[in-house]
Amino acid sequence: MIRNHTAALRSAINPRRFQSQGSGYCQLLLASDPELLDYGLLTVGVVAAVAAGIPFPLLGILFGQLVDNLNSTSCSSEASASSLTSSVVRKVLIVVYVAIANFVLIYVHTACWSLLGERLVRRLRKCYLRSLLRQELAFFDRLPSGEVASRLDSDLQVIQTGASEKVGICISSFSYFIASYIVCLIKSARLAGILFPVVPAFILMTTVGGHYTKKYTSSMTDHIASATSIAAGGLSNMAIVHAFGANARLETLFAASLGKAQLYGMKKNVVSSIQMGCLYFIAYSANALAFWQGSKEIAASVALDKSGTTVGNVYTVIFLLIDSSFIISQVAPFIQLFSSAAAAFSRLVTTIERIPEIDGTAISKGNLLEAAPGRLEFRNVTFSYPSRPDTIVLRDISLVIPANEHTAIVGLSGSGKSTVGALIERLYDTDSGEIILDDQNIRELNVRSLRGMIGTVEQSGNLLERSIFENIAYGLVNSPMKEHAGLRDTLLGPELEDLAVAIRDGCNLADKIATSSEEVKCIWRLCCEAATHADAIDFIEDLPHGLATAVGAEGNLLSGGQKQRIVLARALVRNPSILLLDEATASLDSASERQIQSALEKITHGRTTITIAHRLSTIKNAHQVIVMDMGRIVEQGKYTELLAKGGAFAKMVHLQGSSRSATPAVSLRSGLSSSDDTISKAETIIEQQTSSKDRTSQRSFDQQSDSEKANTAEPAGESAENTCSQRSFISSLLTTVTLARPHLIWMLLGTCAAVIVGGTYSGEAVIFGHTVGSLSPCRGAANILTSGSLYGLLFFILGIVEFAANVISASSFGRVAEKLLYRVRVMSLRSLFYQDIQWHESEGRSAGMLISYISSDANSMSGLTGTVLGVILSIIVSLVSGIILAHIIAWKIAIVLLATVPILLASGFLRLKIIAQFHQRHQKAFAGSVSIATEAVRSMKTIATFSLEQTTLHVFTRSLRAPYKESVKAIVYGNFWLASAYSISNLIYALAYYWGAKEVANGNYNQTQFFTVLPALLFSAQLCGQMFSLAPDVSKAGVAAARVLDLIDIGPQETMQTVEEQDERDRDLEAANNVVEKRLDIRRGITVTFRGVFFSYPSRPDVEVLRGLDLNFEAGKFYALVGPSGAGKSTIISLIERFYVPHLGGVKIDGRDHSQSSGVSFRDDIALVPQQSVLFDGTVRFNVALGARPAHDPCQNEIETACRLANIHDTIASLPQGYETPCGASGNQFSGGQLQRLSIARALLRKPRLLLLDEPTSALDAESERLLQEALERTAAGITVVAIAHRLHTVRHADCIFLIDAGICVDQGRHEDLLARSDWYRASASHQALDR
């Protein structure tokens, strides 16, 4: 079955298939391996659409005969009213039968096209993601982080809009147009021939306009994708955005990209408006020519007094040409949609067609590995990353990694250590040289098979947004073990996800496991064993749902140490031949590290192990140590040999071991020589202390009243979201218009032009009615010729007016829409950045889901001010003016036809309501699938390493099932009302002719009055049908507007009016005179106090992370937080930054409890170096400058000074572009150590009063660590420093070290004091010592 899945994967993304099909609109409809059902839907949809256009021309013949009957009645007094009435009744019955057939045909073709579009977009979503997952890692290094969200959200939404029921409407319109020409050729071949040039004129207009629309649309969406990338980077790293007040700078960058998109958007709207104006001009010019030529033919027949061209024949030709030209005008709003869909498809195809240089999904390509002893050899390997080809990372290195032995690679940050690991996994290919695995060049090996032999622990500790169980189980997906082969189908299916969800929903674990399949039981057992080996099982079992616990986006619901242990378990579960550990224990405390090291020594026995490390204590038992510097190997040998040589390695060991010089020699020596029994005893004591503290804290927590828990502040904006549906469409429309108020002149100009467009339909009715009356044979040949020339000229003038009005209306509304889009997107991002971390982590929100506010929602919202609004306004004006005109001319006829208008409106309203409910119900579901795809791209290294391409695709596919099923239901019901809105106009025609002919026969009105009322009302009726065909766009705009406006409402505009903010502004005003003194006293530190703090994360409210914590950080001192992973250390820093608010207790900064106010100005004096170093998709200069205080633009000298302090300036200067070097998505252009140093530089640039360091040196080599510590000693004088550290020697000079365990402070003191009295601290120091 796995081979079947893979075969399907290859065939679905066969690039030659796409190349042969091309990327045009016709190829779009059957893109991405359609099934037999899709061909059936296309065939039936085309046939039904074509058939739906035929009945009405047949009606034109009947109407022509009715005109002849009316003419004979007006010219001859002998004709009886009864005979005329009976003739009309027979023809009206035929019209009714045709209307019923037309309803059925319209329903069939709209349903077929809607379903075809839904299936097409679903296939394209999967196909695009498949192709992305095939690409090599270098492709993603250059891919903006928001690119995928933009393609899967905005672009596919454009494709679906342009490939659904509107295609059927367009085909039926053209079918009607062609059928009308055929009838006209039969009735008057000369007249029809003269009018034939209209066809190439329409084609030329469509082709030229479509070309420029596609061109500008493509440029516009590229800039939108760039802006989306910036937004995605910020929303994925909200902690950094809040900590540094980076929202304003990111918003500026975001707005700059949107500004470029806005320019192309306005150009596109101008082209579309000219296109629409040309369409009307051609149609009315053709009508003018038809009237002139028709009058000549009728006059000739009258003059010769013979039965040639009759008034009925000319009426049929003119009526059908007028109406078919009018119906063709319905295509005008759709042409832009089709062109935009083709442009969006071409962008998708560019990625889908791309042939990857390294294909990790291919099964048959390359030699398969059944077993791998694991001997690796690098032969003269030179390498530079494709994104920075001028920077050489590895320089002609040669090395041998023996099979079944432990090899360690150490060196300075950026020396190329992690690159060696990436090349072994063939995430990249070498520039020159070769890598040999067991006598085979890895380029000749099957990539998937190669990676299956390797178990990798990444430096970043990346987890997918699933449960712990699923994340560990993913290590089995490409396992080479034969006993794991039978588990692959289960790993690809939904069983693991269903099990985790069921446990989180309250099912009993034992019962659920017992009823699961044998494969699931086996996977569960293997995951538990792997978690045990990785020292993760204890903290996992303490979680409310155990292995089924969700880890959150990027694993943000777990601490750094917990994530790293799960990542280690994922690598161990597959029992690989080669184990690659890239800083596998960097985020772990010493006790956990010692336990894992002990477990690894047993597990790695007899297998090839490669360890990339900065903590040299973890590689003492390595068989070989390779020392790298600047992409070269400078030393190589055993640990003791290199130490004895006194070279680069010995210097690194000395730097890390120098901590003992600051501590009593006897105390450390005894600690270093202590046996494992002593350490175990210490750990037992700590465990007993922790258990006691846990019980005490739990009792204290249990004593909380329910009312106290209920007082926990609800995340801002939660209530607004929950009441999103309470905002009415009218309210959304009025608010949207208010937002567009700065562009009121353009709106008024567009409105006036739209009113003119709407009024021309009534003008056309007047001209048409008088023309038909003047062509009566009773008036004589001379009068007929004169009238034909006059009314032909009037129609031509009407065409010119229509052209000008349409251009002005569409371009004006289009300009307003682009301006509004820009403003709404910026305001939406501002509001999202304004919300606190607690809001972002509540209710399942993710960065990918929130991006939909900026991309698809904002784009849909423009429908309330753009071209669609202009069209609707024109329709309303036409309807009102038509009704008024009809009542003035012939009220007895008009009043009967007016009764049909509510039927039209009711039909359209019901469709509007159904579509609105559908979009509102499933917006989140589709946003969820986009989030999955965005996460996949962000975690591409993990997916490629563990061959999770198929697994990710299956998860993505399952996320599409629910919205697809609901879409099918909506199609079945919704298109009934669309068919009604279109076909009901035929019944109005029947009623109009019956009642009008009867009134004419009775002598109440003449035929001129009748033929003025008829088009005035019928055109209005057909325009109503067009208006309701736009119902999906309008309803989508209404729902999107409500969501976006609710989001904007909870943004800064509303919050700035709160009492707390007003008080904050008042205090700032009072302190204005002291600003200078404060800045001069900037070196004074900040005092922080924790008093009885209880806290649990919003996503896991039942797990108390802090349990009555009491801490005091005095100003100007250096404090350290140490303790086991998951003890709550990083949470303490989060509370200081006020990313969260404690449930009980308070956190005071300089004596003020900031958790009780909404102001965040206190963060201006705080700088943070987070545990997970992240950069945004911008230049190095931009990322470092984000650390500056708000409203301060740092100069180049300030930036370089901060980078020198962080020991990263020389690295940046060596890059070809220097400080203008792009960092890539999430900083993927730099190594882990370089990322950390850039993060430190960003913090130092702020010159803070309080510096928060969360494992600031975990990814640094010893030399960089020493230089950083020296820099901190120089720059941190007088300021408060709070550092989290697992490397205890980095905090040995701290004024006070707090030992945190289980959410409380179990001990505190200086380094020497804790060594003397704390068994845990002494055991940790002993494990980290290097000279035992």
Side-chain angles (χ1 to χ4, degrees):
M1 187 174 289
I2 294 299
R3 292 185 181 274
N4 291 337
H5 285 308
T6 308
L9 176 69
R10 292 200 306 271
S11 65
I13 48 183
N14 186 349
R16 287 177 294 182
R17 175 176 55 78
F18 275 98
Q19 290 170 352
S20 64
Q21 289 182 346
S23 58
Y25 183 78
C26 293
Q27 286 72 30
L28 162 65
L29 297 178
L30 287 175
S32 184
D33 284 340
E35 299 175 357
L36 186 61
L37 176 59
D38 297 293
Y39 286 104
L41 290 172
L42 179 62
T43 303
V44 174
V46 170
V47 171
V50 171
I54 294 174
F56 209 75
L58 300 180
L59 296 178
I61 298 174
L62 296 173
F63 297 151
Q65 295 172 358
L66 286 170
V67 170
D68 284 337
N69 291 337
L70 290 172
N71 262 302
S72 63
T73 302
S74 61
C75 290
S76 174
S77 59
E78 298 178 359
S80 65
S82 60
S83 63
L84 175 62
T85 303
S86 62
S87 176
V88 170
V89 168
R90 288 195 301 270
K91 293 178 176 62
V92 165
L93 287 175
I94 297 175
V95 172
V96 172
Y97 300 147
V98 171
I100 294 172
N102 203 36
F103 169 80
V104 174
L105 291 171
I106 290 175
Y107 178 77
V108 170
H109 83 68
T110 52
C112 287
W113 282 106
S114 296
L115 186 57
L116 181 68
E118 191 73 31
R119 290 172 60 84
L120 168 65
V121 170
R122 186 177 65 157
R123 293 199 311 273
L124 283 175
R125 287 179 189 274
K126 293 190 287 186
C127 191
Y128 178 66
L129 185 59
R130 281 193 192 106
S131 182
L132 278 176
L133 296 175
R134 292 179 70 218
Q135 304 305 319
E136 72 279 3
L137 212 57
F139 173 81
F140 296 94
D141 290 344
R142 297 184 290 266
L143 189 70
S145 59
E147 175 86 5
V148 174
S150 179
R151 295 290 176 257
L152 285 174
D153 202 350
S154 299
D155 282 4
L156 281 171
Q157 186 183 74
V158 169
I159 290 175
Q160 184 167 16
T161 302
S164 295
E165 76 280 349
K166 293 180 179 64
V167 184
I169 295 170
C170 184
I171 291 175
S172 64
S173 298
F174 277 107
S175 172
Y176 175 30
F177 188 74
I178 294 171
S180 296
Y181 259 97
I182 294 173
V183 172
C184 291
L185 286 170
I186 295 172
K187 292 293 183 180
S188 178
R190 181 179 178 83
L191 179 58
I194 291 175
L195 296 178
F196 185 76
V198 171
V199 177
F202 274 127
I203 294 174
L204 180 63
M205 176 270 299
T206 303
T207 304
V208 174
H211 167 74
Y212 284 101
T213 298
K214 182 177 180 180
K215 173 184 175 182
Y216 293 135
T217 299
S218 180
S219 299
M220 179 185 70
T221 52
D222 286 342
H223 288 298
I224 290 175
S226 175
T228 305
S229 171
I230 297 166
L235 294 173
S236 299
N237 302 287
M238 284 303 299
I240 296 297
V241 173
H242 279 305
F244 289 100
N247 52 318
R249 293 182 176 91
L250 290 174
E251 184 183 309
T252 301
L253 203 62
F254 176 78
S257 293
L258 281 186
K260 297 174 183 177
Q262 180 189 99
L263 178 62
Y264 284 108
M266 288 190 290
K267 289 181 179 180
K268 180 197 72 173
N269 287 321
V270 170
V271 171
S272 300
S273 65
I274 294 174
Q275 192 174 11
M276 186 180 295
C278 287
L279 188 146
Y280 281 100
F281 176 75
I282 293 170
Y284 282 119
S285 297
N287 291 334
L289 181 60
F291 279 119
W292 176 74
Q293 178 62 29
S295 66
K296 289 177 62 177
E297 293 187 8
I298 294 173
S301 298
V302 171
L304 297 175
D305 194 20
K306 64 178 183 179
S307 59
T309 303
T310 66
V311 178
N313 289 343
V314 174
Y315 171 78
T316 297
V317 173
I318 294 176
F319 176 76
L320 289 179
L321 288 179
I322 291 173
D323 202 58
S324 61
S325 298
F326 174 78
I327 292 297
I328 280 294
S329 70
Q330 290 189 350
V331 179
F334 302 156
I335 291 175
Q336 180 181 341
L337 299 179
F338 300 151
S339 299
S340 298
F345 178 60
S346 67
R347 288 190 296 274
L348 291 177
V349 169
T350 300
T351 300
I352 293 172
E353 285 183 346
R354 188 180 186 276
I355 301 174
E357 296 178 9
I358 305 172
D359 190 353
T361 64
I363 292 294
S364 57
K365 183 179 179 181
N367 302 327
L368 297 176
L369 285 172
E370 294 185 1
R375 183 184 183 277
L376 286 157
E377 182 179 357
F378 280 57
R379 297 177 181 174
N380 306 111
V381 170
T382 297
F383 174 76
S384 59
Y385 285 98
S387 56
R388 292 207 305 270
D390 298 332
T391 304
I392 300 177
V393 181
L394 297 181
R395 304 171 184 268
D396 194 32
I397 69 167
S398 297
L399 63 90
V400 175
I401 298 175
N404 304 323
E405 291 188 4
H406 183 189
T407 298
I409 303 176
V410 301
L412 300 178
S413 300
S415 60
K417 305 183 298 298
S418 296
T419 302
V420 170
L423 293 178
I424 290 172
E425 297 178 280
R426 209 184 162 200
L427 297 175
Y428 301 91
D429 277 335
T430 61
D431 296 341
S432 63
E434 56 184 5
I435 302 174
I436 307 299
L437 173 61
D438 297 331
D439 300 324
Q440 294 189 74
N441 191 319
I442 64 170
R443 291 199 181 199
E444 299 173 357
L445 298 174
N446 178 269
V447 178
R448 186 181 178 88
S449 177
L450 167 67
R451 292 172 181 170
M453 297 293 171
I454 304 172
T456 305
V457 180
E458 301 172 21
Q459 189 174 22
S460 59
N462 203 342
L463 296 176
L464 301 178
E465 193 174 359
R466 317 278 193 275
S467 64
I468 295 175
F469 173 47
E470 291 167 274
N471 271 283
I472 297 176
Y474 284 163
L476 295 166
V477 169
N478 193 32
S479 171
M481 305 294 292
K482 292 182 179 179
E483 55 267 33
H484 297 163
L487 306 176
R488 293 178 185 175
D489 288 342
T490 304
L491 291 165
L492 290 175
E495 291 90 344
L496 304 188
E497 180 184 1
D498 293 344
L499 174 62
V501 170
I503 293 173
R504 290 199 296 269
D505 288 343
C507 292
N508 182 268
L509 173 61
D511 294 341
K512 194 64 182 176
I513 294 292
T515 57
S516 299
S517 65
E518 291 300 321
E519 289 80 7
V520 172
K521 292 178 182 177
C522 180
I523 294 171
W524 186 274
R525 177 179 53 79
L526 291 172
C527 289
C528 289
E529 291 175 358
T532 301
H533 290 313
D535 191 36
I537 196 66
D538 290 339
F539 90 80
I540 290 174
E541 289 179 346
D542 288 340
L543 297 173
H545 305 119
L547 276 173
T549 301
V551 302
E554 299 183 353
N556 59 9
L557 300 182
L558 303 174
S559 71
Q562 291 170 337
K563 282 198 295 184
Q564 205 154 30
R565 279 180 279 182
I566 293 173
V567 170
L568 180 59
R570 181 175 62 194
L572 297 177
V573 74
R574 66 167 47 177
N575 195 20
S577 301
I578 301 172
L579 190 59
L580 178 58
L581 308 174
D582 190 353
E583 288 288 344
T585 59
S587 297
L588 300 182
D589 60 275
S590 296
S592 297
E593 185 180 54
R594 187 197 64 78
Q595 293 178 15
I596 290 176
Q597 284 296 123
S598 177
L600 285 176
E601 288 177 5
K602 299 175 184 177
I603 294 169
T604 57
H605 181 71
R607 83 176 74 218
T608 304
T609 304
I610 304 166
T611 299
I612 298 170
H614 285 140
R615 287 190 186 180
L616 303 184
S617 62
T618 63
I619 61 166
K620 283 187 174 182
N621 298 325
H623 297 91
Q624 175 185 221
V625 177
I626 297 171
V627 184
M628 297 187 66
D629 185 26
M630 299 296 291
R632 294 187 174 91
I633 297 175
V634 295
E635 286 185 334
Q636 187 171 348
K638 291 184 177 296
Y639 184 95
T640 52
E641 294 172 356
L642 295 178
L643 197 61
K645 285 174 64 176
F649 182 75
K651 182 180 178 182
M652 293 169 64
V653 172
H654 172 72
L655 287 172
Q656 285 196 6
S658 61
S659 58
R660 290 173 305 283
S661 61
T663 57
V666 176
S667 173
L668 271 179
R669 289 294 176 185
S670 62
L672 297 176
S673 61
S674 61
S675 65
D676 286 350
D677 292 340
T678 306
I679 296 175
S680 299
K681 181 179 179 181
E683 290 172 344
T684 302
I685 294 172
I686 283 293
E687 186 176 352
Q688 292 172 352
Q689 292 175 348
T690 302
S691 299
S692 174
K693 292 288 184 182
D694 284 352
R695 289 190 292 271
T696 304
S697 299
Q698 186 62 45
R699 284 195 299 270
S700 174
F701 176 69
D702 289 343
Q703 290 171 1
Q704 281 183 254
S705 66
D706 291 339
S707 60
E708 288 173 325
K709 294 181 182 179
N711 287 333
T712 302
E714 184 182 7
E718 195 168 304
S719 59
E721 268 201 330
N722 293 338
T723 59
C724 176
S725 60
Q726 299 301 315
R727 185 187 290 270
S728 67
F729 179 84
I730 298 298
S731 173
S732 298
L733 177 61
L734 293 176
T735 308
T736 303
V737 171
T738 302
L739 289 175
R741 189 167 49 192
H743 316 289
L744 186 60
I745 294 178
W746 289 100
M747 289 189 70
L748 291 176
L749 183 62
T751 301
C752 293
V755 169
I756 293 174
V757 171
T760 55
Y761 295 116
S762 296
E764 178 189 0
V766 173
I767 298 173
F768 179 72
H770 283 80
T771 303
V772 173
S774 68
L775 295 180
S776 173
C778 306
R779 301 186 68 245
N783 287 332
I784 292 174
L785 284 173
T786 303
S787 298
S789 298
L790 173 62
Y791 294 118
L793 177 62
L794 290 176
F795 259 108
F796 183 75
I797 295 173
L798 193 64
I800 296 175
V801 173
E802 275 278 6
F803 174 80
N806 273 285
V807 170
I808 295 172
S809 174
S811 58
S812 297
F813 279 116
R815 178 185 178 87
V816 173
E818 291 299 326
K819 294 288 185 181
L820 178 69
L821 264 177
Y822 173 87
R823 186 177 184 188
V824 165
R825 281 175 168 149
V826 172
M827 292 176 70
S828 297
L829 183 67
R830 185 180 302 160
S831 182
L832 289 171
F833 279 166
Y834 187 80
Q835 307 310 315
D836 58 26
I837 304 294
Q838 195 161 334
W839 183 89
H840 280 270
E841 293 183 359
S842 300
E843 297 190 358
R845 297 183 183 96
S846 64
M849 185 176 292
L850 295 176
I851 281 294
S852 65
Y853 282 109
I854 298 169
S855 54
S856 61
D857 278 359
N859 193 51
S860 297
M861 185 179 175
S862 67
L864 294 181
T865 57
T867 307
V868 173
L869 183 62
V871 172
I872 293 176
L873 182 59
S874 299
I875 292 171
I876 293 173
V877 171
S878 174
L879 179 63
V880 174
S881 62
I883 292 173
I884 294 173
L885 176 65
H887 281 73
I888 293 173
I889 300 297
W891 69 270
K892 289 184 179 181
I893 298 175
I895 199 167
V896 173
L897 298 184
L898 185 62
T900 63
V901 174
I903 300 175
L904 286 170
L905 297 177
S907 176
F909 172 76
L910 288 174
R911 171 165 168 75
L912 185 70
K913 183 177 180 180
I914 291 172
I915 296 295
Q917 290 176 343
F918 166 72
H919 285 298
Q920 187 172 7
R921 194 163 51 242
H922 299 288
Q923 181 68 35
K924 285 188 177 181
F926 280 114
S929 65
V930 174
S931 178
I932 292 170
T934 305
E935 178 196 48
V937 172
R938 196 167 53 242
S939 308
M940 197 58 216
K941 185 175 182 180
T942 300
I943 289 174
T945 298
F946 288 93
S947 301
L948 300 178
E949 294 89 352
Q950 292 183 46
T951 305
T952 303
L953 188 61
H954 279 69
V955 173
F956 182 77
T957 302
R958 290 196 293 271
S959 73
L960 296 175
R961 287 177 183 170
Y964 174 73
K965 290 179 180 178
E966 293 298 330
S967 297
V968 173
K969 293 179 182 178
I971 288 168
V972 172
Y973 293 107
N975 284 291
F976 174 85
W977 303 108
L978 178 61
S980 299
Y982 273 100
S983 59
I984 204 168
S985 61
N986 291 331
L987 297 177
I988 296 174
Y989 267 102
L991 178 60
Y993 271 97
Y994 168 75
W995 185 252
K998 184 177 179 180
E999 290 297 313
V1000 172
N1002 292 335
N1004 295 326
Y1005 300 105
N1006 59 39
Q1007 61 177 342
T1008 298
Q1009 292 172 308
F1010 171 64
F1011 285 113
T1012 300
V1013 172
L1014 185 67
L1017 284 179
L1018 292 186
F1019 287 175
S1020 298
Q1022 288 179 313
L1023 282 169
C1024 283
Q1026 180 185 0
M1027 180 171 69
F1028 292 129
S1029 74
L1030 297 172
D1033 303 315
V1034 176
S1035 63
K1036 192 183 296 182
V1039 173
R1043 282 163 49 86
V1044 172
L1045 293 174
D1046 283 338
L1047 174 65
I1048 292 173
D1049 282 347
I1050 62 173
Q1053 296 90 338
E1054 180 183 83
T1055 310
M1056 285 174 63
Q1057 299 173 2
T1058 61
V1059 175
E1060 291 82 3
E1061 279 295 296
Q1062 185 64 48
D1063 292 342
E1064 183 76 17
R1065 288 197 298 273
D1066 291 342
R1067 280 188 290 271
D1068 290 343
L1069 189 61
E1070 293 171 4
N1073 294 328
N1074 298 323
V1075 169
V1076 176
E1077 288 80 1
K1078 283 187 176 181
R1079 287 296 172 232
L1080 291 174
D1081 195 29
I1082 197 170
R1083 304 310 300 168
R1084 182 178 61 82
I1086 288 177
T1087 299
V1088 182
T1089 305
F1090 281 65
R1091 286 291 177 266
V1093 173
F1094 286 83
F1095 176 76
S1096 61
Y1097 286 98
S1099 55
R1100 294 205 301 270
D1102 297 332
V1103 179
E1104 284 293 316
V1105 181
L1106 300 182
R1107 312 180 182 193
L1109 180 68
D1110 292 312
L1111 294 174
N1112 185 43
F1113 304 101
E1114 296 180 6
K1117 293 186 177 181
F1118 177 20
Y1119 293 90
L1121 303 174
V1122 301
S1125 301
K1129 304 184 295 296
S1130 296
T1131 303
I1132 293 172
I1133 284 184
S1134 295
L1135 292 179
I1136 293 175
E1137 286 275 14
R1138 215 198 71 193
F1139 294 157
Y1140 305 94
V1141 177
H1143 300 335
L1144 285 177
V1147 180
K1148 293 185 178 181
I1149 297 178
D1150 280 343
R1152 183 184 176 193
D1153 191 348
H1154 284 280
S1155 62
Q1156 302 302 316
S1157 70
S1158 58
V1160 292
S1161 59
F1162 69 92
R1163 289 179 183 157
D1164 296 352
D1165 292 321
I1166 303 175
L1168 169 67
V1169 179
Q1171 188 174 37
Q1172 189 72 37
S1173 297
V1174 291
L1175 299 179
F1176 297 101
D1177 193 2
T1179 64
V1180 171
R1181 186 189 188 286
F1182 171 77
N1183 273 280
V1184 176
L1186 286 178
R1189 293 172 180 268
H1192 173 60
D1193 186 16
C1195 64
Q1196 185 66 24
N1197 185 55
E1198 290 178 274
I1199 294 173
E1200 290 184 8
T1201 300
C1203 290
R1204 284 191 175 93
L1205 289 172
N1207 191 32
I1208 190 65
H1209 171 74
D1210 292 340
T1211 301
I1212 298 171
S1214 67
L1215 299 174
Q1217 295 175 267
Y1219 280 85
E1220 300 305 317
T1221 300
C1223 296
S1226 301
N1228 58 15
Q1229 301 299 301
F1230 294 95
S1231 70
Q1234 291 168 339
L1235 270 175
Q1236 203 156 34
R1237 283 182 284 168
L1238 284 168
S1239 183
I1240 292 167
R1242 180 174 59 197
L1244 295 178
L1245 180 67
R1246 173 158 289 206
K1247 299 178 182 177
R1249 296 172 55 208
L1250 171 61
L1251 182 61
L1252 304 176
L1253 307 172
D1254 192 350
E1255 285 288 344
T1257 61
S1258 61
L1260 297 186
D1261 58 90
E1263 177 65 16
S1264 297
E1265 187 177 53
R1266 180 185 65 81
L1267 293 173
L1268 174 64
Q1269 286 182 324
E1270 291 176 357
L1272 287 177
E1273 288 176 3
R1274 293 195 304 271
T1275 60
I1279 71 172
T1280 308
V1281 179
V1282 179
I1284 296 174
H1286 286 139
R1287 297 184 184 180
L1288 300 184
H1289 72 273
T1290 63
V1291 296
R1292 66 185 184 276
H1293 296 307
D1295 295 298
C1296 182
I1297 300 173
F1298 294 104
L1299 179 55
I1300 309 297
D1301 192 14
I1304 58 174
C1305 180
V1306 296
D1307 205 346
Q1308 65 184 70
R1310 295 184 63 84
H1311 177 72
E1312 299 81 359
D1313 301 331
L1314 294 179
L1315 276 176
R1317 67 170 181 260
S1318 172
D1319 294 318
W1320 184 93
Y1321 193 86
R1322 186 165 52 251
S1324 297
S1326 172
H1327 175 66
Q1328 292 180 22
L1330 298 176
D1331 61 347
R1332 284 189 290 181

